Structure formats: structure tokens, C-alpha cells
Amino acid sequence: MAKGDHVVVSNMKLEKLLCMKGGKGEGSYANNSQAQALHARSMLHLLEETLDKVHLNSPEFPFQVADLGCSSGNNTIHIVDVIIKHMTKRYESSGLDSPEFSVFFADLPSNDFNTLFQLLPPLADYGVSMEECLAASGHRNYFAAGVPGSFYRRLFPARSIDVFHSAFSLHWLSQIPESVLDKRSAAYNKGRVFIHGATESTANAYRKQFQTDLAGFLSARSQEMKRGGSMFLVCLGRTSVEPTDQGGAGLLFATHFQDAWDDLVQEGLIASEKRDNFNIPVYAPSLQDFKEVVEANGSFAIDKLEVFKGGSPLVVNHPDNAAEVSRAMANSCRSVAGVLVDAHIGDELSEELFSRVELRAKSHAKELLEKLQFFHIVASLSFA
């Protein structure tokens, strides 16, 4: 097969392909999700407020938690530990016996569940007391299972889940809007690989897809969540009212990453049409975008909905070292979009692309650290 002659990833294939970079290598999500960990920790008080609203069911029934879009690193395990320990303390302080806990780690079938399961600590001995379980460092006090499938559809039996958690996932669309890939459409995203700075038609197509997806997500959860349950959701957000301004996501995907694609076109390594047929399936919503869908769904009350400043996705030990910053930029892009790039242009050209991202970012290291900041939509929902 000639260079750049890979097939366009169709929307049907996206669900089977989309995942964070698996394994434990330098460009893997497991080794490039420290920023997500820091951002999640800064929001733990909001998560705990949500957990305080969850109804305590009879201890004879298992308490069931689902992390949707769990990916393959330690972050999901840490968050689940926080949830289980908080709920255990709530049962104890209410004078109730603690139930058994089940946790479902859910993501698309392409997710590296093997790496995730290898990171799971061993199950604590259920013959000992819950206090001993909690004190047993390096052990988990919950049963674990993986659930492959799109969270935009049903994943669980009706009324089976007490707590839904999803962090840094809902901004990933189920598909690229068809009009964005159609040359005859006003929304055709010619010359770009992301919607930041694109036409209003392109951005609106993405906005509509996001809202359709979120509506599907809420519809599925409204059937699966137990009465008295709660949801805690975090996704990339933006402060601008204009969907063409994607904030931090725009700086990540529409500057040096975009320029690297243009380099490949100008050097004749890929055709311009090849670049134009690649689009990052991410949409950072505004509070209004999010709120409209929740209100239209009607099943959930909004207990909290706010924009939260998460900070930079670049975690470096030496901020003055341009080489380290640019490497972090390239790895950050690669950990979340590398699988899609590999499928679109092949491993060899993908290597070329990300080396150019790193090279271009090197001369803008200081600016990247200052300006590349993520904002998140944080939502706490319970039944209306």
C-alpha cells in the first residue's frame, strides 16, 4: 500500500476504533494522563457532594457503581476508590452495615481493558470486616467487571446502578457529523482537522452531534440508574459562547497539530483531501449547550452545573525546558488522538506527524504553558 493510502475511518468504524493510546509506552494514555488526575483531584469535593445525595439502600443488596469512559490508566481506579470509601463511611455513620460493592469499568470495545485489569489491586478478603478492608493498603474492597460498549446507548439492566461517574469522556462524539465530511456541504471542514476556527456551519454540525449524543446518554442512564441514585459528569467545556472557539481543545488540536498535517501535505507525503477527511471527533460544549439537553430530556434535576478551571494538560518537571514541554505536547496529542491518526495515515506517517508537532511546539513552549488551559463542565444530576 502506498504512503498515505489508508482508508478513511468511517463513522461505523469509529466506535470500534476510538480509544486512548493503550499499553504503557511513552505515548500511552496511562503515561500521559497526569493532568487528568490532577484535574480530577481538584474536583473531589464536588464528587463527594454528589455522593452525599445518594440514597442508602438496604445492605442486603449490592451497591453498584459504573465509571463510563474509564480508559486504561490508574485514574479510574483512584476515583472508584474515593467513591467506595466515601459510601462505606456514609453507611457506617448511618449505623448501617455496609453492602457489598460492584464496580463496572465501561468503555468502547477498543479500550485497552487488559492494561486496566493488570493495574487493578487484588480483591480484599471478604471474610474480614469492612474496616480491615479499608485499612488493607494495596487491596480493593469491590468486585470489578469490564463493560464494552458505547455509553451513548444502554449498557446495564434497568434500575441497576447507584452511582454513575464519567470524567473527560463526554466531549468525544459518537461520530463525525456526515456534513463535515461532505464536499458539497457548507459544513465541509476543508483544510482543517478540528472545528476550532472553522466556519459557523461546521461548528453547528458538531454542536448538534454533541447534543444528539448527550441526549442518547441521558436517555440510557435514565433507565439504568436506581431511584435515589446520582450521576457525576465531567467533560471538556468552554467559556466562549461561540462553538468555533474551542478553548484549550482548540490550542491542542488546531495549532501545532494542525500545522503538522499541513506540513505533510506541503511535502507531498499525503494529499490535501487526506487531511481534510480527518477530523478530531471532540466538541467542548458551553454550559448552555449542556443545560439545553438535560432540560429537554426532563428525567434529571440539575443539582450542580458549572464551568471549572482544570489547568494545563501539560505536566512537566522543568517548565523552562522547551524540549520537555514540546515532548509533553506531542505525547498529549498522541495519547488521545494517536489511534485515529494511525488508522488514517498509517504508523510511519503518524510517526512523522507527531515528530513535527513536537518540533513546532518547541519554539512556542512558554506560550503553550501559559495559554493551553482546559476548562471543564461539571454536572451533578439526580432524578427529577
Side-chain angles (χ1 to χ4, degrees):
M1 188 175 277
K3 270 190 179 182
D5 198 26
H6 288 248
V7 294
V8 176
V9 176
S10 70
N11 286 332
M12 228 166 61
K13 288 182 180 175
L14 184 61
E15 185 178 313
K16 294 182 179 177
L17 178 73
L18 179 62
C19 63
M20 303 301 97
K21 193 83 169 173
K24 299 175 183 176
E26 186 186 356
S28 68
Y29 184 80
N31 283 325
N32 289 280
S33 51
Q34 301 96 324
Q36 288 90 330
L38 291 171
H39 300 177
R41 282 183 172 88
S42 69
M43 291 182 261
L44 285 182
H45 63 291
L46 300 175
L47 170 60
E48 288 172 345
E49 284 176 17
T50 299
L51 296 176
D52 284 338
K53 295 183 176 74
V54 177
H55 177 72
L56 300 181
N57 293 313
S58 169
E60 65 188 279
F61 300 108
F63 189 96
Q64 307 210 109
V65 177
D67 189 26
L68 307 176
C70 61
S71 194
S72 54
N74 275 307
N75 292 351
T76 181
I77 297 169
H78 173 72
I79 288 295
V80 161
D81 281 343
V82 169
I83 293 171
I84 301 299
K85 286 177 180 176
H86 190 87
M87 293 311 301
T88 300
K89 287 173 184 173
R90 277 199 60 207
Y91 271 95
E92 287 175 349
S93 63
S94 300
L96 295 169
D97 290 334
S98 203
E100 292 187 329
F101 291 95
S102 288
V103 173
F104 300 100
F105 295 96
D107 213 318
L108 293 173
S110 46
N111 184 55
D112 186 1
F113 283 103
N114 285 339
T115 292
L116 173 60
F117 293 155
Q118 287 164 14
L119 293 170
L120 274 177
L123 186 65
D125 183 356
Y126 262 84
V128 300
S129 70
M130 189 54 67
E131 289 80 2
E132 288 174 288
C133 278
L134 286 173
S137 179
H139 286 72
R140 61 185 162 91
N141 55 324
Y142 56 87
F143 296 100
V147 178
S150 169
F151 56 35
Y152 293 126
R153 296 193 294 275
R154 286 284 301 273
L155 291 170
F156 305 98
R159 304 285 170 255
S160 62
I161 304 297
D162 294 278
V163 172
F164 279 111
H165 175 272
S166 182
F168 317 121
S169 297
L170 277 166
H171 48 263
W172 287 97
L173 304 178
S174 67
Q175 63 176 50
I176 301 294
E178 289 180 8
S179 59
V180 171
L181 298 171
D182 183 356
K183 287 181 183 178
R184 300 161 298 177
S185 168
Y188 183 54
N189 202 20
K190 184 174 176 59
R192 298 181 187 277
V193 295
F194 190 47
I195 61 161
H196 186 79
T199 67
E200 190 177 333
S201 296
T202 306
N204 284 336
Y206 263 71
R207 179 178 181 270
K208 185 178 178 183
Q209 185 63 53
F210 168 80
Q211 293 193 310
T212 299
D213 286 343
L214 182 59
F217 177 93
L218 294 175
S219 176
R221 304 298 84 78
S222 71
Q223 297 171 71
E224 297 165 348
M225 195 165 82
K226 290 180 187 175
R227 293 291 169 190
S230 280
M231 273 199 291
F232 185 75
L233 311 175
V234 180
C235 70
L236 276 183
R238 68 176 197 274
T239 53
S240 170
V241 295
E242 295 298 331
T244 52
D245 179 359
Q246 288 283 293
L251 279 174
L252 190 65
F253 293 125
T255 53
H256 309 302
F257 183 71
Q258 172 72 55
D259 292 340
W261 281 93
D262 296 342
D263 286 346
L264 297 190
V265 172
Q266 286 159 16
E267 292 169 33
L269 294 172
I270 61 170
S272 60
E273 193 174 339
K274 192 72 181 173
R275 172 201 57 204
D276 298 346
N277 280 328
F278 181 88
N279 284 268
I280 294 288
V282 162
Y283 180 81
S286 66
L287 273 181
Q288 188 61 28
D289 290 340
F290 203 100
K291 187 179 180 183
E292 282 175 10
V293 183
V294 179
E295 290 180 343
N297 171 269
S299 297
F300 297 99
I302 298 173
D303 300 318
K304 187 176 287 291
L305 181 63
E306 63 182 62
V307 175
F308 191 91
K309 186 176 180 181
S312 174
L314 307 180
V315 178
V316 292
N317 295 319
H318 306 96
D320 294 330
N321 186 328
E324 186 182 347
V325 173
S326 61
R327 189 73 177 156
M329 172 72 175
N331 281 337
S332 185
C333 284
R334 187 170 214 156
S335 68
V336 296
V339 170
L340 295 178
V341 176
D342 292 351
H344 195 72
I345 58 176
D347 295 355
E348 190 179 334
L349 283 172
S350 179
E351 206 55 57
E352 289 277 352
L353 180 86
F354 288 108
S355 67
R356 281 165 170 73
V357 173
E358 184 176 349
L359 188 65
R360 283 182 163 279
K362 196 170 183 179
S363 56
H364 299 273
K366 187 179 179 184
E367 179 189 6
L368 281 170
L369 283 179
E370 288 174 0
K371 294 186 178 179
L372 185 48
Q373 300 288 322
F374 279 171
F375 287 85
H376 303 293
I377 300 283
V378 180
S380 176
L381 308 178
S382 55
F383 277 124

